[in-house]
């Protein structure tokens, strides 16, 4: 009995996670063994499994998908880590503006970003290609976005904000004593970064890398927008086709379910690798009971060059595509920027955002969903990370695996499973409402929340809490007075990331759409998919405006609480 | 003389039948009045369908209708099946292509009735399970600034020619080509499709993007749907439409779900959608018209062109060709 009482946090959290993760997973797995994939249909078959794994086409897709996933995750990790390091650990100017720019990019729905890049780098009408051809007198366009390299490039860019948001708090919370000692011993910046900083950050870097890799395996937007037109398929675009283009009229849920086992296997290996690194994480503790002030590395003479590099990066990767989206929002139809086209500019698309009751209603839904889901994910992630990283309770590793698992669910499949779950429980009237979308998002984004929260707990030495316990503080007081204030920037980053992703998420919102639960991305997609990309772009612009407003509020809170500012 | 007699007889019959039809639809409407709303699943934008519902309620104010958009339209049947299996509230009317009808028919979820008794004209192809509300017309599109009217492609072979290599776009799904088989024949259509693929076309997950990409100059021409090109054309984009002969069409069938909420009201709505008034309103809202109603713009646009469509109940052929043509269009190993 006493043992049970001791275990109640694990049991309670385990129950919540089982409901969120295991219930849909069972339905998802069951579908793979049904002839139609619909779990209430009669029959049992292994045909879906044998058809998928016995097919040469599938393994061909695995190869393309791995190239795509590894390429995007590596690039995004490198860029995100470099940016986080520059913003958090150097004296680079305009750090706050850079952080805002990175976060702003998260509000852009990836398929809109992809459309922006097509308009910049398409071989026929790409603005950048045209510019380079005319500047250097080339015979043909130097870039072609409709390639696997193009897909990797755009996907990596869309993942950079996630990498930045996971890594920035970890870098911010680093105790500089080891770096300072190395500097005192005569080590140069290069040696300090590679031999000390990188090693201290290893758990966060590995966790982030695995997370980005898994995300890039299941995302559809960019492979669908850039790859599909040029017949470059990865598993996610194949799943989209199985769900939407099946000539038999029903999505091939059975085949999709069978494919999901592949994701679950890859993710389980990734989770084990992640836990292995985390087990040796005590080597990476950087925030101890001693007070510290994170050291900013002076860039010296290269400071303006680093700033120039950052400006070039942002111009190329954020400002240009966002400018294209903005331009598109003022055009009556899709047309590349030119002086001639300027005369056709109109405010009609933007006016529509404010007078169309469908858009206004969807905006309210999106905000409520994003607020509730972001808060729930943050609370669950912190609780889970505390149990996993700070206790020796049995079952904690299973909890960690459960929170990582949703990353293996393609959005289409998770939504289908959720439809079954909530259709089966008529006493819980969430089917067709915004509540079912909230539940889907909490499940989906839990993996990001827990990866980030784990990274933070790795870096805070337990001696701070032990000192508080010795002084008689309760767990609640330790949370309220020590952990939450220390971890606030990281928790705010989690909240913010989930908020932004909920605001822009499309696949699941579409699948779970009912009579009155439309969200901004579903309305945006509605315009895009009915040949009105300019109206879609206008909604995208205002989504970015919402994100900008939330970013400013975040900065204000940071300034008031002093968190995140102590090292500015 | 005989023709005049036939016309007179038809008129007399129509006059005699009219009160019967009116009585039957009135009875249904009376039963449907003030019941729970008719639930309508389709793929059009909600604001387009809102106009249709508004007009319907002018005629039948006591029948409430709610609309749920299922984007792409290809998961409507799955949704209805899932909801029915869970005894949850589901659609009472679906307007979609034949691929969505068949899984519902196989599970005996579709209401069967005599539609002519509700005033649906016998000139339309129909079954007890489905009546044609409109049709998506597969057409040729081109950039009218890049290609003058004189040099514009006018036939299937004109569109699928070396001239447009790398400058052509189409939908990633093949239903237009599947329906073309009916009049063009399997071999000829297969050859056409293979020639199209050899031209390295851009394939879009949504057909609506084809017109926009033509407008932007990314493509010179494309094969797409008439209705999905209209937003670009109406906003002034330089996109021109060419109805090709034969013109493949993908009929949007009105289907009533037996266990759907307020199935009586759904029958009234389905019948109204095939009436000249309902068809006009639906066409104005969605740009998809009913080619079997001479009063629609769509019928006028098709003109003398032959309409090509696989018969509704020729399920096996439809599935076989769809599988094969999908593979030709989007072979996962197409690009190494």
């Amino acid at each position: 009995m006493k043992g049970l009482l001791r275990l109640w946090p694990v049991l309670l959290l385990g129950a919540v996670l089982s409901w969120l993760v295991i219930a849909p997973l069972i339905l998802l797995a069951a579908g793979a063994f049904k002839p139609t994939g619909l779990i209430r249909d009669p029959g049992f078959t292994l045909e879906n499994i044998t058809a998928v794994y016995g097919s040469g086409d599938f393994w061909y897709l695995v190869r393309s998908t791995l190239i795509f996933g590894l390429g995007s995750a590596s690039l995004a990790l490198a860029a995100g880590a470099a940016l986080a390091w520059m913003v958090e650990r150097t004296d680079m100017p305009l750090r706050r503006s850079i952080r805002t720019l990175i976060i702003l990019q998260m509000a852009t729905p990836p398929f809109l970003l992809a459309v922006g890049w097509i308009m910049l780098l398409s071989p026929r009408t790409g603005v950048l290609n045209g510019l380079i051809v005319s500047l250097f007198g080339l015979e043909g366009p130097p870039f072609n976005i409709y390639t696997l390299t193009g897909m990797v490039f755009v996907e990596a860019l869309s993942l950079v904000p996630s990498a930045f948001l996971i890594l920035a708090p970890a870098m911010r919370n680093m105790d500089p004593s080891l770096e300072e000692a190395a500097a005192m011993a005569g080590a140069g910046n290069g040696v300090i970064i590679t031999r000390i900083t990188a090693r201290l950050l290893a758990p966060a870097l590995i966790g982030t890398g695995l997370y980005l890799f898994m995300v890039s395996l299941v995302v559809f937007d960019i492979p669908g927008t850039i790859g599909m037109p040029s017949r470059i398929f990865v598993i996610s675009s194949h799943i989209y086709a199985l769900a939407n283009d099946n000539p038999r009229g029903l999505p091939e849920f059975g085949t999709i379910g069978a494919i999901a086992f592949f994701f679950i296997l890859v993710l389980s290996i990734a989770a084990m690798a992640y836990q292995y690194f985390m087990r040796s994480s005590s080597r990476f503790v950087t925030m101890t009971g001693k007070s510290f002030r994170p050291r900013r590395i002076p860039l010296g003479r290269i400071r303006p060059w680093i700033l120039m590099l950052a400006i070039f990066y942002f111009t190329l990767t954020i400002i240009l595509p966002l400018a294209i989206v903005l331009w598109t929002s003022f055009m009556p139809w899709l047309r590349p920027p030119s002086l001639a086209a300027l005369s056709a500019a109109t405010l009609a698309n933007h006016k529509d955002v404010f007078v169309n009751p469908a858009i206004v209603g969807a905006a309210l839904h999106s905000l409520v969903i994003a607020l509730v889901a972001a808060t729930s994910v943050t609370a669950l992630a912190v609780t889970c990370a505390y149990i996993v990283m700070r206790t020796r309770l049995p079952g904690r590793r299973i909890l960690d695996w459960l929170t990582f698992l949703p990353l293996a669910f393609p959005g289409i499949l998770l939504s289908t499973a959720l439809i079954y779950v909530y259709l089966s429980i008529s006493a819980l009237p969430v089917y067709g409402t915004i509540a079912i979308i909230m539940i889907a998002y909490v499940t989906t984004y839990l993996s990001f929340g827990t990866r980030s929260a784990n990274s933070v707990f790795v870096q805070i030495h337990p001696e701070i809490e032990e000192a508080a316990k010795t002084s008689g503080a309760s767990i609640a007081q330790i949370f309220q007075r020590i952990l939450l204030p220390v971890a606030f920037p990281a928790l705010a980053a989690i909240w913010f990331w989930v908020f932004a992703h909920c605001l822009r998420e499309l696949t699941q919102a579409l699948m779970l759409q009912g009579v009155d639960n439309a969200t901004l991305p579903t309305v945006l997609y509605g315009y895009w998919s009915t040949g009105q990309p300019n109206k879609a772009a206008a909604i995208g612009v205002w989504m970015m405006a919402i994100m900008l407003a939330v970013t400013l509020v975040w900065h204000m809170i940071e300034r008031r609480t002093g968190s995140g500012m102590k090292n500015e | 003389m005989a023709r005049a007699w036939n016309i007179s007889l038809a008129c007399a019959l129509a006059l005699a039948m009219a009160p019967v039809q009116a009585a039957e639809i009135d009875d249904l409407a009376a039963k449907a009045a003030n019941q729970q709303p008719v639930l309508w699943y389709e793929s059009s934008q909600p604001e387009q369908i809102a106009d249709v519902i508004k007009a319907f309620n002018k005629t039948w104010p006591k029948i409430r209708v709610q609309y749920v958009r299922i984007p792409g339209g290809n998961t409507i049947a799955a949704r209805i099946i899932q909801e029915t299996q869970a005894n949850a509230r589901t659609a009472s009317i679906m307007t979609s292509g034949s691929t969505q009808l068949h899984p519902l028919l196989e599970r005996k979820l579709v209401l069967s009735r005599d539609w002519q008794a509700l005033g649906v004209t016998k000139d339309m192809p129909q079954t007890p399970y489905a009546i044609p509300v409109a049709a998506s017309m597969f057409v040729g599109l081109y950039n009218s600034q890049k290609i003058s009217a004189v040099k514009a492609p006018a036939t299937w072979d004109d569109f699928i020619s070396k001239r447009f290599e790398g400058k052509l776009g189409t939908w990633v799904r093949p239903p237009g080509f599947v329906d073309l088989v009916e009049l063009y024949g399997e071999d000829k259509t297969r050859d056409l499709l293979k020639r199209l693929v050899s031209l390295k076309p851009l394939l879009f997950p949504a057909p609506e993007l084809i017109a926009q990409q033509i407008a932007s100059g990314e493509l010179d021409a494309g094969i797409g749907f008439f209705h999905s090109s209209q937003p670009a054309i109406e906003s002034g984009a330089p996109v021109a439409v060419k109805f090709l002969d034969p013109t493949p069409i993908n009929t949007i069938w009105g289907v009533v779900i037996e266990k759907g909420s307020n199935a009586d009201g759904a029958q009234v709505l389905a019948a109204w959608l095939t009436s000249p008034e309902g068809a006009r309103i639906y066409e104005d809202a969605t740009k998809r018209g009913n080619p079997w109603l001479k009063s629609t713009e769509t019928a006028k646009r098709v003109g003398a062109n032959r309409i090509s469509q696989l018969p509704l109940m020729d399920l096996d052929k439809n599935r076989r060709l769809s599988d094969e043509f999908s593979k030709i269009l989007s072979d996962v190993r197409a690009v190494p």
Side-chain angles (χ1 to χ4, degrees):
Chain A
M1 189 63 193
K2 205 175 171 184
L4 268 181
L5 276 177
R6 197 172 68 88
L7 279 177
W8 76 263
V10 175
L11 293 175
L12 183 67
L13 203 58
V16 173
L17 292 177
S18 298
W19 179 252
L20 287 173
V21 180
I22 297 292
L25 177 70
I26 289 171
L27 295 173
L28 196 153
F33 299 102
K34 290 285 180 181
T36 60
L38 291 164
I39 55 155
R40 289 191 189 216
D41 272 0
F44 173 87
T45 183
L46 289 174
E47 203 179 307
N48 294 319
I49 303 283
T50 52
V52 167
Y53 297 103
S55 150
D57 282 356
F58 176 74
W59 296 107
Y60 187 86
L61 280 172
V62 167
R63 179 180 154 271
S64 321
T65 308
L66 288 177
I67 295 171
F68 175 70
L70 286 170
S72 333
S74 315
L75 261 180
L77 186 66
L83 284 166
W85 180 77
M86 286 195 283
V87 169
E88 300 296 343
R89 301 306 315 279
T90 73
D91 63 348
M92 188 177 84
L94 299 174
R95 294 189 294 274
R96 190 173 299 153
S97 310
I98 286 170
R99 195 187 299 159
T100 307
L101 271 175
I102 295 170
I103 291 161
L104 198 58
Q105 189 199 338
M106 276 199 309
T108 320
F111 77 85
L112 219 50
L113 191 73
V115 170
W117 274 104
I118 287 171
M119 291 179 76
L120 285 169
L121 289 184
S122 111
R124 294 201 73 210
T125 53
V127 178
L128 270 183
N129 269 334
L131 200 67
I132 295 170
V133 165
S134 60
L135 272 178
F136 298 102
L138 302 178
E139 282 186 6
F143 302 109
N144 181 0
I145 195 71
Y146 293 115
T147 56
L148 192 56
T149 314
M151 282 163 63
V152 167
F153 173 66
V154 180
E155 183 61 42
L157 291 182
S158 81
L159 292 175
V160 167
S162 299
F164 177 88
L165 276 186
I166 303 176
L167 292 171
M171 294 204 185
R172 187 182 295 186
N173 286 338
M174 278 177 63
D175 181 347
S177 56
L178 288 174
E179 291 169 329
E180 281 166 3
M184 295 271 282
N189 278 344
V191 173
I192 292 173
I193 291 165
T194 52
R195 309 261 320 250
I196 297 177
T197 314
R199 291 184 183 194
L200 286 172
L201 287 169
L205 286 170
I206 291 163
T208 311
L210 290 174
Y211 177 82
L212 298 175
F213 173 64
M214 284 309 300
V215 169
S216 57
L217 292 192
V218 295
V219 290
F220 165 72
D221 311 58
I222 288 161
T225 314
I226 297 175
M228 243 179 173
S230 46
R231 308 171 86 207
I232 301 169
F233 288 90
V234 290
I235 294 179
S236 61
S237 45
H238 183 57
I239 286 178
Y240 175 88
L242 290 170
N244 291 285
D245 301 331
N246 183 8
R248 288 168 202 284
L250 288 179
E252 291 195 36
F253 290 132
T255 311
I256 301 173
I259 292 174
F261 282 111
F262 170 77
F263 287 128
I264 291 169
L265 177 74
V266 174
L267 185 122
S268 298
I269 295 168
M272 278 192 284
Y274 178 75
Q275 284 183 348
Y276 170 79
F277 285 109
M278 282 299 174
R279 268 203 292 280
S280 51
S281 60
S282 57
R283 287 185 289 144
F284 306 108
V285 169
T286 55
M287 187 186 282
T288 64
K290 293 176 285 182
S291 69
F292 72 91
R293 184 182 174 81
R295 167 181 172 264
R296 284 197 177 277
I297 295 170
L299 293 170
R301 278 181 302 175
I302 62 164
R303 199 168 176 243
W305 292 105
I306 291 282
L307 180 65
M308 293 274 280
L309 193 69
I311 290 172
F312 177 72
Y313 170 83
F314 284 113
T315 308
L316 194 68
T317 62
I318 295 175
I319 296 170
L320 275 178
L322 294 192
I324 286 281
V325 172
L326 191 66
W327 165 268
T328 305
S329 73
F330 288 112
M331 288 293 114
W333 74 85
L334 206 60
R335 56 196 303 192
S338 68
L339 279 176
L342 204 56
S343 59
T346 169
L347 282 173
N349 301 320
H350 289 271
K351 279 183 189 160
D352 197 44
V353 172
F354 294 97
V355 299
N356 187 330
I359 299 177
V360 176
L364 284 174
H365 288 158
S366 284
L367 282 174
V368 173
I369 291 168
L371 281 169
V372 174
T375 310
S376 308
V377 167
T378 311
L380 270 172
V382 171
T383 316
C384 205
Y386 183 81
I387 290 172
V388 171
M389 307 303 293
R390 281 296 190 266
T391 72
R392 299 249 165 227
L393 291 172
R396 64 187 188 284
R397 283 195 192 127
I398 297 174
L399 282 187
D400 194 45
W401 183 73
L402 279 178
T403 59
F404 205 11
L405 200 56
L407 207 50
F409 299 171
I412 289 170
L413 220 54
L414 178 66
S415 314
T416 310
L418 285 178
I419 288 173
Y420 270 122
V421 172
Y422 292 99
L423 272 174
S424 310
I425 311 165
S426 50
L428 215 58
V430 302
Y431 178 70
T433 68
I434 59 171
I436 196 168
I437 301 177
M438 282 174 197
I439 292 166
Y441 289 174
V442 171
T443 308
T444 303
Y445 298 130
L446 199 54
S447 46
F448 171 86
T450 48
R451 289 325 88 187
S452 303
N454 282 359
S455 302
V456 176
F457 277 105
V458 164
Q459 290 193 309
I460 304 172
H461 199 290
E463 73 183 26
I464 308 175
E465 294 142 70
E466 281 157 15
K469 264 187 207 163
T470 313
S471 311
S474 64
I475 296 231
Q477 283 172 319
I478 291 172
F479 251 96
Q480 191 193 340
R481 308 278 296 273
I482 299 171
L483 290 177
L484 289 182
V486 167
F488 179 78
L491 301 187
I494 295 171
W495 188 93
F496 204 80
W497 185 96
V498 177
F499 181 88
H501 280 72
C502 291
L503 204 61
R504 76 181 203 188
E505 200 285 335
L506 174 67
T507 313
Q508 296 178 62
L510 278 180
M511 288 291 288
L512 298 169
Q513 203 164 322
V515 175
D516 186 27
N517 67 349
T519 62
L520 266 185
T522 59
V523 176
L524 185 151
Y525 181 79
Y527 284 125
W528 182 75
S529 66
T530 49
Q532 301 169 81
N534 310 86
K535 282 188 175 181
I539 296 177
V541 167
W542 287 102
M543 281 167 70
M544 281 186 268
I546 293 174
M547 279 304 293
L548 185 62
V550 178
T551 314
L552 293 176
V553 171
W554 181 20
H555 286 328
M556 276 167 60
I557 294 171
E558 272 193 333
R559 197 173 292 177
R560 282 198 179 175
T561 58
S563 60
M565 297 296 295
K566 56 184 178 265
N567 54 348
E568 292 290 335
Chain B
M1 189 64 184
R3 188 160 179 261
W5 266 109
N6 283 342
I7 291 170
S8 307
L9 190 63
C11 289
L13 270 173
L15 283 171
M17 289 294 287
V20 179
Q21 290 162 0
E24 188 144 355
I25 203 161
D26 284 344
D27 286 349
L28 264 181
K31 278 200 270 179
N34 303 320
Q35 297 296 311
Q36 61 174 324
V38 169
L39 195 55
W40 182 1
Y41 288 3
E42 216 222 59
S43 63
S44 295
Q45 277 282 71
E47 58 212 54
Q48 293 174 327
I49 298 299
D51 290 342
V52 180
I53 294 172
K54 204 171 159 187
F56 171 72
N57 282 145
K58 278 187 184 159
T59 310
W60 306 104
K62 290 182 180 171
I63 302 175
R64 288 178 297 151
V65 182
Q66 283 180 335
Y67 176 69
V68 176
R69 175 175 192 242
I70 313 283
N74 231 25
T75 53
I76 298 180
R79 182 117 171 207
I80 292 172
I81 291 166
Q82 282 179 296
E83 288 166 346
T84 310
Q85 287 178 335
N87 288 321
R89 184 174 177 236
T90 193
S92 36
I93 179 169
M94 164 189 95
T95 39
S96 190
S98 62
T99 54
Q100 295 301 292
L101 169 63
H102 292 302
L104 300 176
L105 273 178
E106 284 163 356
R107 287 158 195 266
K108 299 186 170 53
L109 296 176
V110 180
L111 183 137
S112 165
R113 68 153 300 133
D114 171 15
W115 288 102
Q116 287 175 38
L118 292 184
V120 176
T121 165
K122 65 177 185 339
D123 297 337
M124 291 181 186
Q126 58 194 279
T127 73
Y129 314 107
I131 44 175
V133 168
S136 302
M137 326 286 292
F138 216 44
V139 296
L141 304 164
Y142 63 92
N143 185 309
S144 55
Q145 273 175 356
K146 291 189 170 189
I147 302 166
S148 67
V150 183
K151 292 183 177 172
T155 66
W156 283 101
D157 287 328
D158 286 351
F159 270 93
I160 298 170
S161 74
K162 278 277 177 196
R163 170 189 179 191
F164 293 123
E165 184 163 4
K167 302 169 189 172
L168 198 67
T170 192
W171 192 21
V172 75
R173 290 193 215 165
F177 293 99
V178 171
D179 281 315
L180 185 61
V181 164
E182 185 64 10
L183 291 186
Y184 225 52
E186 262 188 65
D187 292 340
K188 205 173 165 189
T189 309
R190 191 177 292 111
D191 173 62
L192 193 77
L193 195 58
K194 284 182 178 169
R195 275 195 284 133
L196 170 72
V197 168
S198 74
L199 297 176
K200 299 188 181 99
L202 289 184
L203 301 176
F204 296 95
E208 286 76 4
L209 296 174
I210 301 164
Q212 289 289 346
Q213 292 296 337
I214 290 172
S216 75
E218 182 69 23
L219 302 172
D220 283 1
I223 311 284
F225 285 121
F226 171 81
H227 69 277
S228 59
S229 65
Q230 293 309 294
I233 292 171
E234 285 176 359
S235 57
V239 178
V241 175
K242 181 71 194 171
F243 277 82
L244 303 169
D245 187 41
T247 304
I249 65 161
N250 199 233
T251 299
I252 308 299
W253 299 96
V255 175
V256 174
I257 310 300
E258 200 154 24
K259 290 185 179 170
S261 68
N262 199 349
D264 293 330
Q267 291 171 64
V268 178
L269 175 60
W272 178 82
L273 285 169
T274 62
S275 70
E277 184 204 3
R280 180 180 54 80
I281 305 273
Y282 186 88
E283 184 178 42
D284 285 349
T286 68
K287 310 302 171 199
R288 292 186 298 196
N290 194 325
W292 294 281
L293 279 177
K294 290 201 170 67
S295 57
T296 60
E297 289 300 314
T298 301
K300 289 171 197 160
R301 282 189 196 105
V302 173
N305 285 357
R306 294 166 299 157
I307 285 177
S308 184
Q309 180 177 229
L310 285 185
L312 174 63
M313 301 313 284
D314 203 348
L315 179 61
D316 289 339
K317 191 174 183 183
N318 196 324
R319 285 179 173 170
R320 178 176 57 79
L321 290 172
S322 296
D323 277 338
E324 186 194 341
F325 289 0
S326 284
K327 179 86 179 154
I328 294 174
L329 268 176
S330 50
D331 180 2
V332 296
R333 297 192 193 216
V335 178

